[in-house]
mmCIF file of all heavy atoms in Angstrom:
data_model
loop_
_atom_site.group_PDB
_atom_site.id
_atom_site.type_symbol
_atom_site.label_atom_id
_atom_site.label_comp_id
_atom_site.label_asym_id
_atom_site.label_seq_id
_atom_site.Cartn_x
_atom_site.Cartn_y
_atom_site.Cartn_z
ATOM 1 N N ALA B 200 120.421 192.793 181.494
ATOM 2 C CA ALA B 200 120.772 191.782 180.350
ATOM 3 C C ALA B 200 119.561 191.432 179.548
ATOM 4 O O ALA B 200 118.527 191.434 179.965
ATOM 5 C CB ALA B 200 121.359 190.541 181.029
ATOM 6 N N LEU B 201 119.901 191.243 178.239
ATOM 7 C CA LEU B 201 118.876 190.875 177.325
ATOM 8 C C LEU B 201 118.241 189.545 177.709
ATOM 9 O O LEU B 201 118.805 188.633 178.237
ATOM 10 C CB LEU B 201 119.526 190.648 175.964
ATOM 11 C CG LEU B 201 118.549 190.466 174.723
ATOM 12 C CD1 LEU B 201 117.741 191.718 174.591
ATOM 13 C CD2 LEU B 201 119.312 190.083 173.500
ATOM 14 N N ASP B 202 116.829 189.524 177.680
ATOM 15 C CA ASP B 202 116.018 188.398 178.066
ATOM 16 C C ASP B 202 115.912 188.303 179.539
ATOM 17 O O ASP B 202 115.192 187.259 180.026
ATOM 18 C CB ASP B 202 116.474 187.069 177.423
ATOM 19 C CG ASP B 202 116.342 187.178 175.866
ATOM 20 O OD1 ASP B 202 115.368 187.820 175.453
ATOM 21 O OD2 ASP B 202 117.151 186.549 175.203
ATOM 22 N N GLU B 203 116.521 189.099 180.350
ATOM 23 C CA GLU B 203 116.311 189.071 181.847
ATOM 24 C C GLU B 203 115.114 189.808 182.149
ATOM 25 O O GLU B 203 115.112 191.023 182.018
ATOM 26 C CB GLU B 203 117.596 189.594 182.496
ATOM 27 C CG GLU B 203 117.460 189.701 184.073
ATOM 28 C CD GLU B 203 117.041 188.327 184.658
ATOM 29 O OE1 GLU B 203 117.835 187.327 184.457
ATOM 30 O OE2 GLU B 203 116.066 188.267 185.404
ATOM 31 N N LEU B 204 114.100 189.294 182.770
ATOM 32 C CA LEU B 204 112.847 189.898 182.976
ATOM 33 C C LEU B 204 112.488 190.259 184.402
ATOM 34 O O LEU B 204 111.414 190.650 184.717
ATOM 35 C CB LEU B 204 111.673 189.016 182.365
ATOM 36 C CG LEU B 204 111.871 188.680 180.937
ATOM 37 C CD1 LEU B 204 110.636 187.744 180.530
ATOM 38 C CD2 LEU B 204 112.012 189.893 180.080
ATOM 39 N N ASP B 205 113.425 190.127 185.378
ATOM 40 C CA ASP B 205 113.296 190.472 186.684
ATOM 41 C C ASP B 205 113.959 191.830 186.937
ATOM 42 O O ASP B 205 115.083 192.008 186.975
ATOM 43 C CB ASP B 205 113.915 189.502 187.676
ATOM 44 C CG ASP B 205 113.667 189.818 189.124
ATOM 45 O OD1 ASP B 205 112.977 190.808 189.438
ATOM 46 O OD2 ASP B 205 114.132 189.087 189.994
ATOM 47 N N PHE B 206 113.022 192.899 187.159
ATOM 48 C CA PHE B 206 113.486 194.213 187.335
ATOM 49 C C PHE B 206 113.440 194.778 188.638
ATOM 50 O O PHE B 206 113.444 195.983 188.983
ATOM 51 C CB PHE B 206 112.774 195.149 186.396
ATOM 52 C CG PHE B 206 112.981 194.977 184.901
ATOM 53 C CD1 PHE B 206 112.289 194.036 184.217
ATOM 54 C CD2 PHE B 206 114.012 195.640 184.254
ATOM 55 C CE1 PHE B 206 112.539 193.747 182.821
ATOM 56 C CE2 PHE B 206 114.277 195.397 182.931
ATOM 57 C CZ PHE B 206 113.525 194.439 182.149
ATOM 58 N N SER B 207 113.340 193.867 189.707
ATOM 59 C CA SER B 207 113.093 194.345 191.100
ATOM 60 C C SER B 207 114.186 195.241 191.584
ATOM 61 O O SER B 207 113.964 196.182 192.265
ATOM 62 C CB SER B 207 112.944 193.112 192.009
ATOM 63 O OG SER B 207 113.940 192.089 191.879
ATOM 64 N N GLU B 208 115.486 194.868 191.209
ATOM 65 C CA GLU B 208 116.556 195.629 191.792
ATOM 66 C C GLU B 208 116.555 197.107 191.109
ATOM 67 O O GLU B 208 116.786 198.128 191.837
ATOM 68 C CB GLU B 208 117.947 195.028 191.361
ATOM 69 C CG GLU B 208 119.119 195.705 191.904
ATOM 70 C CD GLU B 208 120.477 194.966 191.570
ATOM 71 O OE1 GLU B 208 120.340 193.803 191.282
ATOM 72 O OE2 GLU B 208 121.510 195.631 191.577
ATOM 73 N N GLN B 209 116.268 197.173 189.860
ATOM 74 C CA GLN B 209 116.219 198.484 189.114
ATOM 75 C C GLN B 209 115.040 199.350 189.724
ATOM 76 O O GLN B 209 115.127 200.471 189.842
ATOM 77 C CB GLN B 209 116.075 198.222 187.663
ATOM 78 C CG GLN B 209 117.421 197.713 186.956
ATOM 79 C CD GLN B 209 117.379 196.146 187.004
ATOM 80 O OE1 GLN B 209 116.616 195.622 187.772
ATOM 81 N NE2 GLN B 209 118.297 195.598 186.261
ATOM 82 N N ILE B 210 113.952 198.637 189.969
ATOM 83 C CA ILE B 210 112.745 199.389 190.426
ATOM 84 C C ILE B 210 113.028 199.989 191.819
ATOM 85 O O ILE B 210 112.646 201.129 192.181
ATOM 86 C CB ILE B 210 111.517 198.463 190.418
ATOM 87 C CG1 ILE B 210 111.135 198.225 188.985
ATOM 88 C CG2 ILE B 210 110.371 199.116 191.191
ATOM 89 C CD1 ILE B 210 110.093 197.140 188.855
ATOM 90 N N ARG B 211 113.774 199.233 192.707
ATOM 91 C CA ARG B 211 114.094 199.781 194.004
ATOM 92 C C ARG B 211 114.971 201.035 193.895
ATOM 93 O O ARG B 211 114.884 201.989 194.640
ATOM 94 C CB ARG B 211 114.858 198.716 194.867
ATOM 95 C CG ARG B 211 113.832 197.681 195.429
ATOM 96 C CD ARG B 211 114.628 196.842 196.513
ATOM 97 N NE ARG B 211 115.679 196.006 195.963
ATOM 98 C CZ ARG B 211 115.474 194.826 195.452
ATOM 99 N NH1 ARG B 211 114.192 194.219 195.470
ATOM 100 N NH2 ARG B 211 116.518 194.054 194.988
ATOM 101 N N LEU B 212 115.995 201.017 192.928
ATOM 102 C CA LEU B 212 116.774 202.042 192.718
ATOM 103 C C LEU B 212 116.089 203.306 192.254
ATOM 104 O O LEU B 212 116.253 204.410 192.804
ATOM 105 C CB LEU B 212 117.846 201.755 191.667
ATOM 106 C CG LEU B 212 118.685 202.970 191.031
ATOM 107 C CD1 LEU B 212 119.598 203.588 192.232
ATOM 108 C CD2 LEU B 212 119.590 202.361 189.937
ATOM 109 N N LEU B 213 115.160 203.093 191.333
ATOM 110 C CA LEU B 213 114.331 204.162 190.757
ATOM 111 C C LEU B 213 113.422 204.762 191.820
ATOM 112 O O LEU B 213 113.240 206.031 191.833
ATOM 113 C CB LEU B 213 113.581 203.736 189.630
ATOM 114 C CG LEU B 213 114.347 203.296 188.320
ATOM 115 C CD1 LEU B 213 113.400 202.619 187.323
ATOM 116 C CD2 LEU B 213 115.095 204.583 187.753
ATOM 117 N N SER B 214 112.965 203.952 192.719
ATOM 118 C CA SER B 214 112.121 204.547 193.831
ATOM 119 C C SER B 214 112.786 205.457 194.793
ATOM 120 O O SER B 214 112.141 206.334 195.384
ATOM 121 C CB SER B 214 111.485 203.427 194.646
ATOM 122 O OG SER B 214 112.524 202.696 195.371
ATOM 123 N N LYS B 215 114.091 205.405 194.818
ATOM 124 C CA LYS B 215 114.848 206.278 195.657
ATOM 125 C C LYS B 215 115.180 207.613 195.131
ATOM 126 O O LYS B 215 115.386 208.582 195.915
ATOM 127 C CB LYS B 215 116.105 205.568 196.050
ATOM 128 C CG LYS B 215 116.035 204.259 196.861
ATOM 129 C CD LYS B 215 117.425 203.716 197.100
ATOM 130 C CE LYS B 215 117.280 202.308 197.882
ATOM 131 N NZ LYS B 215 118.616 201.616 198.017
ATOM 132 N N VAL B 216 115.093 207.668 193.828
ATOM 133 C CA VAL B 216 115.523 208.947 193.184
ATOM 134 C C VAL B 216 114.363 209.766 192.571
ATOM 135 O O VAL B 216 114.365 210.868 192.269
ATOM 136 C CB VAL B 216 116.498 208.803 192.004
ATOM 137 C CG1 VAL B 216 117.780 208.270 192.613
ATOM 138 C CG2 VAL B 216 115.942 207.807 190.967
ATOM 139 N N ASN B 217 113.110 209.150 192.555
ATOM 140 C CA ASN B 217 111.872 209.677 192.161
ATOM 141 C C ASN B 217 112.001 210.561 190.842
ATOM 142 O O ASN B 217 111.750 211.703 190.835
ATOM 143 C CB ASN B 217 111.331 210.565 193.250
ATOM 144 C CG ASN B 217 109.876 211.072 193.127
ATOM 145 O OD1 ASN B 217 109.112 210.360 192.423
ATOM 146 N ND2 ASN B 217 109.555 212.241 193.612
ATOM 147 N N PRO B 218 112.260 209.887 189.704
ATOM 148 C CA PRO B 218 112.369 210.666 188.465
ATOM 149 C C PRO B 218 110.959 211.115 187.936
ATOM 150 O O PRO B 218 109.989 210.520 188.370
ATOM 151 C CB PRO B 218 112.985 209.613 187.565
ATOM 152 C CG PRO B 218 112.527 208.324 188.058
ATOM 153 C CD PRO B 218 112.460 208.549 189.532
ATOM 154 N N ASP B 219 110.932 212.122 187.083
ATOM 155 C CA ASP B 219 109.785 212.494 186.367
ATOM 156 C C ASP B 219 109.379 211.516 185.315
ATOM 157 O O ASP B 219 108.265 211.228 185.125
ATOM 158 C CB ASP B 219 109.886 213.823 185.668
ATOM 159 C CG ASP B 219 110.141 214.985 186.709
ATOM 160 O OD1 ASP B 219 109.649 214.907 187.850
ATOM 161 O OD2 ASP B 219 110.874 215.934 186.296
ATOM 162 N N VAL B 220 110.449 210.898 184.635
ATOM 163 C CA VAL B 220 110.275 209.992 183.578
ATOM 164 C C VAL B 220 111.418 209.000 183.578
ATOM 165 O O VAL B 220 112.603 209.265 183.945
ATOM 166 C CB VAL B 220 110.222 210.672 182.248
ATOM 167 C CG1 VAL B 220 111.505 211.553 182.034
ATOM 168 C CG2 VAL B 220 109.877 209.790 181.042
ATOM 169 N N VAL B 221 111.090 207.729 183.163
ATOM 170 C CA VAL B 221 112.184 206.690 182.913
ATOM 171 C C VAL B 221 112.147 206.479 181.451
ATOM 172 O O VAL B 221 111.126 206.148 180.863
ATOM 173 C CB VAL B 221 111.836 205.438 183.742
ATOM 174 C CG1 VAL B 221 112.823 204.354 183.251
ATOM 175 C CG2 VAL B 221 111.889 205.590 185.225
ATOM 176 N N PHE B 222 113.388 206.701 180.915
ATOM 177 C CA PHE B 222 113.605 206.397 179.450
ATOM 178 C C PHE B 222 114.009 204.932 179.347
ATOM 179 O O PHE B 222 114.971 204.456 179.976
ATOM 180 C CB PHE B 222 114.585 207.319 178.866
ATOM 181 C CG PHE B 222 114.749 207.115 177.350
ATOM 182 C CD1 PHE B 222 113.652 207.341 176.467
ATOM 183 C CD2 PHE B 222 115.971 206.678 176.840
ATOM 184 C CE1 PHE B 222 113.828 207.137 175.102
ATOM 185 C CE2 PHE B 222 116.051 206.485 175.433
ATOM 186 C CZ PHE B 222 114.975 206.751 174.623
ATOM 187 N N LEU B 223 113.200 204.234 178.522
ATOM 188 C CA LEU B 223 113.344 202.756 178.487
ATOM 189 C C LEU B 223 113.583 202.366 177.086
ATOM 190 O O LEU B 223 112.667 201.836 176.293
ATOM 191 C CB LEU B 223 111.992 202.124 179.009
ATOM 192 C CG LEU B 223 111.872 200.606 179.068
ATOM 193 C CD1 LEU B 223 112.884 200.085 180.127
ATOM 194 C CD2 LEU B 223 110.421 200.222 179.453
ATOM 195 N N PRO B 224 114.877 202.306 176.559
ATOM 196 C CA PRO B 224 115.129 201.876 175.143
ATOM 197 C C PRO B 224 115.228 200.312 175.156
ATOM 198 O O PRO B 224 116.246 199.765 174.959
ATOM 199 C CB PRO B 224 116.412 202.586 174.865
ATOM 200 C CG PRO B 224 117.050 202.651 176.273
ATOM 201 C CD PRO B 224 116.084 202.901 177.259
ATOM 202 N N ALA B 225 114.121 199.669 175.348
ATOM 203 C CA ALA B 225 114.113 198.190 175.466
ATOM 204 C C ALA B 225 113.348 197.484 174.318
ATOM 205 O O ALA B 225 112.566 198.243 173.690
ATOM 206 C CB ALA B 225 113.486 197.778 176.767
ATOM 207 N N TYR B 226 113.573 196.236 174.134
ATOM 208 C CA TYR B 226 112.761 195.486 173.212
ATOM 209 C C TYR B 226 111.418 195.318 173.924
ATOM 210 O O TYR B 226 111.248 195.369 175.135
ATOM 211 C CB TYR B 226 113.480 194.237 172.802
ATOM 212 C CG TYR B 226 114.675 194.395 171.837
ATOM 213 C CD1 TYR B 226 115.899 194.352 172.378
ATOM 214 C CD2 TYR B 226 114.505 194.862 170.584
ATOM 215 C CE1 TYR B 226 116.977 194.596 171.510
ATOM 216 C CE2 TYR B 226 115.524 195.025 169.647
ATOM 217 C CZ TYR B 226 116.830 194.964 170.227
ATOM 218 O OH TYR B 226 117.910 195.254 169.332
ATOM 219 N N PHE B 227 110.451 194.878 173.158
ATOM 220 C CA PHE B 227 109.077 194.875 173.650
ATOM 221 C C PHE B 227 108.860 193.892 174.856
ATOM 222 O O PHE B 227 108.257 194.304 175.815
ATOM 223 C CB PHE B 227 108.030 194.443 172.483
ATOM 224 C CG PHE B 227 106.646 194.459 172.922
ATOM 225 C CD1 PHE B 227 106.040 195.636 173.188
ATOM 226 C CD2 PHE B 227 105.948 193.275 172.979
ATOM 227 C CE1 PHE B 227 104.662 195.756 173.458
ATOM 228 C CE2 PHE B 227 104.631 193.321 173.347
ATOM 229 C CZ PHE B 227 103.906 194.461 173.670
ATOM 230 N N SER B 228 109.399 192.651 174.787
ATOM 231 C CA SER B 228 109.092 191.809 175.907
ATOM 232 C C SER B 228 109.676 192.223 177.189
ATOM 233 O O SER B 228 109.010 192.199 178.238
ATOM 234 C CB SER B 228 109.660 190.409 175.544
ATOM 235 O OG SER B 228 111.020 190.465 175.318
ATOM 236 N N GLU B 229 110.916 192.800 177.112
ATOM 237 C CA GLU B 229 111.571 193.330 178.239
ATOM 238 C C GLU B 229 110.815 194.626 178.743
ATOM 239 O O GLU B 229 110.675 194.836 179.976
ATOM 240 C CB GLU B 229 113.090 193.653 178.086
ATOM 241 C CG GLU B 229 113.907 192.531 177.865
ATOM 242 C CD GLU B 229 113.927 192.030 176.375
ATOM 243 O OE1 GLU B 229 113.174 192.491 175.591
ATOM 244 O OE2 GLU B 229 114.870 191.165 176.132
ATOM 245 N N GLY B 230 110.387 195.385 177.796
ATOM 246 C CA GLY B 230 109.766 196.662 178.157
ATOM 247 C C GLY B 230 108.437 196.404 178.829
ATOM 248 O O GLY B 230 108.049 197.084 179.770
ATOM 249 N N MET B 231 107.640 195.384 178.423
ATOM 250 C CA MET B 231 106.329 194.947 178.991
ATOM 251 C C MET B 231 106.634 194.550 180.445
ATOM 252 O O MET B 231 105.839 194.947 181.392
ATOM 253 C CB MET B 231 105.683 193.960 178.179
ATOM 254 C CG MET B 231 104.954 194.354 177.012
ATOM 255 S SD MET B 231 104.039 193.002 176.166
ATOM 256 C CE MET B 231 102.801 192.827 177.369
ATOM 257 N N ALA B 232 107.608 193.730 180.632
ATOM 258 C CA ALA B 232 107.894 193.220 181.943
ATOM 259 C C ALA B 232 108.221 194.320 182.881
ATOM 260 O O ALA B 232 107.713 194.291 184.052
ATOM 261 C CB ALA B 232 109.072 192.170 181.875
ATOM 262 N N PHE B 233 109.094 195.301 182.450
ATOM 263 C CA PHE B 233 109.424 196.343 183.407
ATOM 264 C C PHE B 233 108.144 197.170 183.865
ATOM 265 O O PHE B 233 107.931 197.501 184.863
ATOM 266 C CB PHE B 233 110.394 197.291 182.802
ATOM 267 C CG PHE B 233 110.697 198.526 183.591
ATOM 268 C CD1 PHE B 233 111.454 198.478 184.737
ATOM 269 C CD2 PHE B 233 110.127 199.728 183.184
ATOM 270 C CE1 PHE B 233 111.563 199.634 185.514
ATOM 271 C CE2 PHE B 233 110.349 200.886 183.917
ATOM 272 C CZ PHE B 233 111.052 200.864 185.115
ATOM 273 N N VAL B 234 107.358 197.562 182.779
ATOM 274 C CA VAL B 234 106.225 198.330 182.996
ATOM 275 C C VAL B 234 105.244 197.690 184.062
ATOM 276 O O VAL B 234 104.774 198.251 184.960
ATOM 277 C CB VAL B 234 105.427 198.632 181.672
ATOM 278 C CG1 VAL B 234 104.080 199.392 181.956
ATOM 279 C CG2 VAL B 234 106.322 199.593 180.865
ATOM 280 N N HIS B 235 104.969 196.429 183.748
ATOM 281 C CA HIS B 235 104.144 195.627 184.740
ATOM 282 C C HIS B 235 104.632 195.666 186.144
ATOM 283 O O HIS B 235 103.926 196.002 187.095
ATOM 284 C CB HIS B 235 103.982 194.239 184.185
ATOM 285 C CG HIS B 235 102.997 194.001 183.205
ATOM 286 N ND1 HIS B 235 101.588 194.422 183.353
ATOM 287 C CD2 HIS B 235 102.972 193.366 182.037
ATOM 288 C CE1 HIS B 235 100.877 194.019 182.236
ATOM 289 N NE2 HIS B 235 101.814 193.439 181.408
ATOM 290 N N GLN B 236 105.896 195.435 186.284
ATOM 291 C CA GLN B 236 106.597 195.326 187.587
ATOM 292 C C GLN B 236 106.668 196.628 188.248
ATOM 293 O O GLN B 236 106.424 196.762 189.408
ATOM 294 C CB GLN B 236 107.974 194.637 187.444
ATOM 295 C CG GLN B 236 107.868 193.153 187.073
ATOM 296 C CD GLN B 236 109.325 192.651 186.767
ATOM 297 O OE1 GLN B 236 110.198 193.008 187.442
ATOM 298 N NE2 GLN B 236 109.298 191.782 185.661
ATOM 299 N N ALA B 237 106.918 197.666 187.492
ATOM 300 C CA ALA B 237 107.126 199.076 188.088
ATOM 301 C C ALA B 237 105.645 199.562 188.619
ATOM 302 O O ALA B 237 105.608 200.078 189.749
ATOM 303 C CB ALA B 237 107.584 200.043 187.018
ATOM 304 N N ARG B 238 104.590 199.296 187.906
ATOM 305 C CA ARG B 238 103.289 199.630 188.265
ATOM 306 C C ARG B 238 102.832 198.809 189.433
ATOM 307 O O ARG B 238 102.213 199.308 190.410
ATOM 308 C CB ARG B 238 102.295 199.602 187.017
ATOM 309 C CG ARG B 238 102.576 200.487 185.841
ATOM 310 C CD ARG B 238 102.831 201.966 186.287
ATOM 311 N NE ARG B 238 102.961 202.885 185.241
ATOM 312 C CZ ARG B 238 103.683 203.888 185.133
ATOM 313 N NH1 ARG B 238 104.438 204.275 186.246
ATOM 314 N NH2 ARG B 238 103.757 204.671 184.100
ATOM 315 N N ALA B 239 103.183 197.580 189.493
ATOM 316 C CA ALA B 239 102.806 196.739 190.631
ATOM 317 C C ALA B 239 103.482 197.187 191.796
ATOM 318 O O ALA B 239 102.857 197.018 192.974
ATOM 319 C CB ALA B 239 103.173 195.235 190.284
ATOM 320 N N ALA B 240 104.694 197.841 191.691
ATOM 321 C CA ALA B 240 105.388 198.331 192.829
ATOM 322 C C ALA B 240 104.934 199.693 193.311
ATOM 323 O O ALA B 240 105.499 200.293 194.266
ATOM 324 C CB ALA B 240 106.837 198.221 192.595
#
Side-chain angles (χ1 to χ4, degrees):
L201 190 65
D202 295 328
E203 175 56 57
L204 302 182
D205 180 3
F206 291 90
S207 54
E208 182 178 340
Q209 291 86 348
I210 291 169
R211 282 194 296 270
L212 169 65
L213 294 170
S214 69
K215 295 177 181 178
V216 297
N217 193 30
D219 298 325
V220 61
V221 172
F222 184 61
L223 181 68
Y226 290 106
F227 184 67
S228 59
E229 291 89 349
M231 281 187 67
F233 171 76
V234 172
H235 277 309
Q236 292 170 40
R238 296 310 186 214

